[in-house]
Amino acid sequence: MKTLHKPLQVTVYQDVLCAWCYLADLRLDVLRQEFGDAVRWSVRPYPLRVHDVLPTEREKRGLVEEVQRAQREADLTAPLLSTDLWLGGDPPRSSVPALAALEAARLQGPNARMFLARAMQRAALEQGVNVSRPDVVFELASRVGLAMNEFSAAFRSEETRRLILDEHRDAAGRGVRGVPTLVIGGRWMLCGLRELSEYREHILACMGRVAVPRSGSSERLVH
């Protein structure tokens, strides 16, 4: 789909350790292909685990339950989600290192970030690998073909981690409370996983091609 108009901006807030974000990302991949240059996508970090501390047993139970709910929500084309990330002996302490890796990859282009993000999602959410560990981060970055010296410098930079925390604070100030959250055209904010058809409908509405969808409890105008 091509357009002579200014591309519609869609911002996606996500955490690479979140099963709901993984499912949303796969659905949005269809729309990225469908809308082409008519939509400009921006994926921004929103860590669900900000602080560097091991999850408590109660937190792990809650995280496992989230994955189990996502398993029931997944369609037939979705990956087989695993709870092993939170049930194993090495659960992630924080989302920040994994998201910092994606910001470091972004410096080598949007495709570099996309390839690393998908590799991390598969490792964490299908295979139960703790992708917040530096050794895992470097292995995956090398596997997807990143320039490792450049990547290492950006990943280890305190500035990259500050960027993650600044993004989290700014997003929260704009009303983001969880992930996945989409902000479409600076107009609509959609929170939580949605059906592909619903994502499409809102994007088309912001392009003026269909009527504005009825607002729901987890969807609102951005002010």
Side-chain angles (χ1 to χ4, degrees):
M1 182 180 296
K2 295 183 178 180
T3 179
L4 299 177
H5 302 291
K6 183 178 179 180
L8 178 71
Q9 179 69 42
V10 177
T11 302
V12 184
Y13 292 96
Q14 64 176 217
D15 187 328
V16 74
L17 301 181
C18 172
W20 298 109
C21 290
Y22 189 13
L23 297 181
D25 216 23
L26 293 172
R27 293 178 185 182
L28 294 174
D29 275 350
V30 176
L31 298 182
R32 291 184 181 99
Q33 294 295 322
E34 186 175 310
F35 285 104
D37 294 337
V39 175
R40 178 177 296 140
W41 302 86
S42 174
V43 183
R44 304 309 306 153
Y46 190 89
L48 296 178
R49 296 192 61 78
V50 176
H51 303 293
D52 184 16
V53 60
L54 280 171
T56 65
E57 291 302 317
R58 180 178 180 181
E59 287 175 322
K60 285 191 285 188
R61 286 195 298 272
L63 291 161
V64 167
E65 289 171 1
E66 283 291 313
V67 175
Q68 291 171 337
R69 284 196 289 272
Q71 288 172 332
R72 294 191 291 270
E73 187 70 22
D75 56 37
L76 295 177
T77 62
L80 296 176
L81 298 173
S82 169
T83 58
D84 290 350
L85 182 65
W86 306 110
L87 290 177
D90 183 30
R93 298 170 62 91
S94 169
S95 304
V96 174
L99 292 172
L102 296 183
E103 292 306 302
R106 189 192 302 275
L107 298 177
Q108 299 184 37
N111 284 339
R113 186 215 171 273
M114 179 182 67
F115 292 149
L116 182 58
R118 191 52 47 84
M120 295 178 83
Q121 286 170 325
R122 288 172 177 153
L125 300 167
E126 296 181 40
Q127 302 164 20
V129 176
N130 180 359
V131 297
S132 69
R133 285 173 35 185
D135 59 326
V136 175
V137 165
F138 284 114
E139 178 183 346
L140 293 174
S142 176
R143 191 181 299 172
V144 300
L146 299 187
M148 294 306 295
N149 287 341
E150 180 182 348
F151 173 80
S152 177
F155 173 66
R156 298 183 187 279
S157 171
E158 285 302 317
E159 183 178 346
T160 304
R161 281 157 173 73
R162 281 197 299 271
L163 181 150
I164 303 293
L165 299 178
D166 289 347
E167 285 270 4
H168 184 273
R169 183 186 62 248
D170 293 346
R174 291 191 289 269
V176 177
R177 295 292 179 266
V179 290
T181 292
L182 269 66
V183 178
I184 303 175
R187 181 180 178 188
W188 289 100
M189 179 179 289
L190 273 65
C191 307
L193 180 69
R194 302 300 183 92
E195 294 295 333
L196 174 62
S197 59
E198 190 172 354
Y199 287 133
R200 181 186 292 111
E201 185 178 18
H202 277 82
I203 290 172
L204 288 171
C206 284
M207 290 177 168
R209 299 182 185 180
V210 300
V212 176
R214 182 183 300 177
S215 180
S217 59
S218 55
E219 162 192 324
R220 62 182 178 80
L221 285 168
V222 177
H223 298 290

